[in-house]
Amino acid sequence: MSGSGKIILHIDMNSFYASVEAAHQPELKGKAIAIAGNPEERRGIVVTCSYEARSKGVKTTMQVHEALKLCPELIVLRPDFTRYRQASKAIFDILRSYTTMVEPVSIDEGYMDITEVEGNPIELIKEIQDRILRELDLPCSIGVSPNKFLSKMASDMKKPMGITVLRKREIEHKLWPMPIREMNGVGEKTAEKLSSLSIETIGDLASADEIKLKVLLGINGLKLKNRANGIDSRKVDPESIYDYKSVGNSTTLPKDLTNQSELLKVIEQLSEKVSERLSTKQMIGYALQIMIRFKNRKTITRSLTLSHPLYDRNHIAEEAKGLFLKHWNGTPVRLLGVTVQDLADKSHAYKQIDLFSYEEDVKYEPVEKVMRELEEKHGKGILTRGMKSAKSVQNAETSFSKDFLDDHN
């Protein structure tokens, strides 16, 4: 690459969960592997699979029994989130050994800005890819371009173990002929709307009428048109994962309570508020904390860490009530608080949500709704990645002290 422009990388791990399992158990290498939330159940869903499985027709969201018909030798494994998180940390440690300008966007993908890193960029990129494979035994594809959008599109062009450079001058013949449904940020519903304007390819979007786009999709229509023309001003932001540390609600009770059913009802109400605010912020969490202030003003906090994501009000309430009952000694309670911590962007954590919901046999109705949406186009932006309405952003508080310690009645 030449010139004085930015050099942005999108690193996308190939069949991440399956690859981690194969790295952990070398005897699985070269075999057809699938990860499913509940492999013992015939109705279990394939969430990710190895390239060997894909070559036999196995696909994401396919039921396990269907996958086994296509590929009888398929090895179906339960997810091991601890193992995947450890591998993810090791990957990002390698990336950060080259520059601090690293932005994780999910457990298995992230951006790097190597503009200021000395040396030949292509040699550096090959070294990064080789190191991840050599040190962690994990394959990845890397997209290279002047901005995030083009790099994301480029990393999808050659898998596994691809390195694809996408220059702005190449978008007309490399990007524009692609179906609009393959564009990052365009889900099935958006694609259907665009089709009403006879927009079927990325090139059609690049030359579309701006007024019609704005009427159809609002400001997002103009953003998508800019992306289709290779315009994306978003910077690599190493701090973006720390935007939200927690989401919580607390309330001072009208009177000191000792009635267990009344206290549990309050926790349910707080959990519902927390769930609504997580939804507004498009976040999920992996830790839960409760606060109990007693009549004598003594205050305690108790927390737990979970392997599955928290975002549904029933699940939050269930865990919060269990934690409360474990630590409440019957003393009159003056204040209660519920907080979800260890947050991640829901749209970038769709794989974890997917695995969780099927592992729990779609125990909660809201999860089922999310899953139906996810299954329309798995991971292609049906949950808008990082895009929030102006109203949502306006209403979203980020300060922990303001967010949790203030009373919300």
Side-chain angles (χ1 to χ4, degrees), residues 360-398:
E360 294 289 296
D361 293 324
V362 200
K363 185 176 179 181
Y364 307 112
E365 188 176 345
V367 181
E368 190 170 16
K369 179 175 181 293
V370 171
M371 289 311 310
R372 284 197 299 269
E373 295 173 349
L374 286 169
E375 286 173 21
E376 284 190 58
K377 190 157 189 181
H378 192 82
K380 285 285 186 179
I382 198 68
L383 292 172
T384 306
R385 295 175 184 267
M387 295 180 183
K388 302 176 179 68
S389 68
K391 183 178 179 182
S392 296
V393 173
Q394 221 172 17
N395 292 339
E397 298 173 354
T398 58

Side-chain angles (χ1 to χ4, degrees), residues 38-318:
N38 196 349
E40 291 81 13
E41 292 285 337
R42 288 173 57 79
R43 64 184 175 179
I45 299 295
V46 173
V47 178
T48 187
C49 58
S50 66
Y51 287 94
E52 290 81 5
R54 294 179 193 188
S55 70
K56 299 292 180 69
V58 179
K59 296 178 181 177
T60 297
T61 73
M62 182 178 282
Q63 290 192 349
V64 169
H65 73 91
E66 293 176 320
L68 287 169
K69 282 182 183 177
L70 291 170
C71 182
E73 70 274 22
L74 185 68
I75 300 169
V76 186
L77 304 171
R78 277 186 175 274
D80 186 332
F81 286 112
T82 300
R83 187 175 293 161
Y84 305 150
R85 285 182 188 150
Q86 288 171 345
S88 179
K89 181 181 183 302
I91 291 161
F92 285 106
D93 284 346
I94 288 176
L95 301 184
R96 292 189 184 99
S97 71
Y98 294 93
T99 175
T100 59
M101 295 298 290
V102 174
E103 179 184 341
V105 293
S106 77
I107 195 170
D108 64 348
E109 64 175 311
Y111 292 101
M112 289 179 76
D113 184 340
I114 63 167
T115 309
E116 304 300 327
V117 180
E118 294 183 5
N120 181 291
I122 294 299
E123 289 180 5
L124 176 65
I125 294 161
K126 287 178 179 176
E127 180 184 319
I128 291 169
Q129 187 184 58
D130 289 343
R131 270 192 68 189
I132 294 173
L133 183 65
R134 185 177 67 253
E135 296 180 20
L136 305 178
D137 204 9
L138 297 174
C140 69
S141 292
I142 302 178
V144 191
S145 85
N147 63 51
K148 283 182 167 182
F149 170 73
L150 292 178
S151 294
K152 169 68 176 174
M153 294 299 296
S155 68
D156 282 334
M157 290 179 177
K158 186 180 178 184
K159 290 184 175 182
M161 287 297 287
I163 294 176
T164 305
V165 178
L166 183 57
R167 300 170 178 85
K168 280 192 176 181
R169 64 176 180 269
E170 297 173 325
I171 64 174
E172 186 174 348
H173 67 271
K174 283 190 176 181
L175 205 63
W176 286 0
M178 294 173 64
I180 193 66
R181 283 172 169 78
E182 293 184 20
M183 178 174 168
N184 178 245
V186 175
E188 286 296 328
K189 291 180 181 177
T190 300
E192 287 171 9
K193 290 180 181 179
L194 291 171
S195 185
S196 69
L197 297 181
S198 298
I199 296 173
E200 304 295 342
T201 67
I202 296 177
D204 292 339
L205 178 59
S207 59
D209 182 274
E210 290 190 2
I211 295 174
K212 290 180 180 178
L213 278 177
K214 192 168 183 180
V215 170
L216 186 70
L217 300 174
I219 192 69
N220 193 43
L222 304 183
K223 286 181 182 178
L224 289 174
K225 178 177 179 176
N226 281 336
R227 302 271 167 86
N229 281 288
I231 301 167
D232 182 6
S233 60
R234 293 174 300 159
K235 296 179 180 179
V236 172
D237 181 7
E239 300 300 316
S240 66
I241 57 170
Y242 305 115
D243 284 350
Y244 300 119
K245 298 240 181 17
S246 64
V247 171
N249 280 86
S250 65
T251 185
T252 300
L253 305 175
K255 60 180 180 179
D256 299 335
L257 288 181
T258 56
N259 184 292
Q260 179 174 301
S261 62
E262 289 183 40
L263 289 166
L264 294 181
K265 184 68 176 176
V266 172
I267 290 176
E268 289 174 1
Q269 293 168 350
L270 290 171
S271 299
E272 182 173 4
K273 289 181 181 179
V274 171
S275 176
E276 288 172 356
R277 296 175 67 202
L278 284 170
S279 178
T280 297
K281 298 173 191 242
Q282 288 290 293
M283 306 298 283
I284 62 173
Y286 289 93
L288 179 78
Q289 177 179 274
I290 62 164
M291 172 186 279
I292 309 170
R293 182 172 297 157
F294 298 104
K295 181 180 180 180
N296 62 3
R297 304 197 66 81
K298 178 186 176 183
T299 303
I300 65 169
T301 58
R302 296 292 183 267
S303 60
L304 58 85
T305 300
L306 300 160
S307 60
H308 303 307
L310 279 170
Y311 54 96
D312 171 78
R313 65 178 184 180
N314 294 322
H315 189 205
I316 294 170
E318 183 180 296

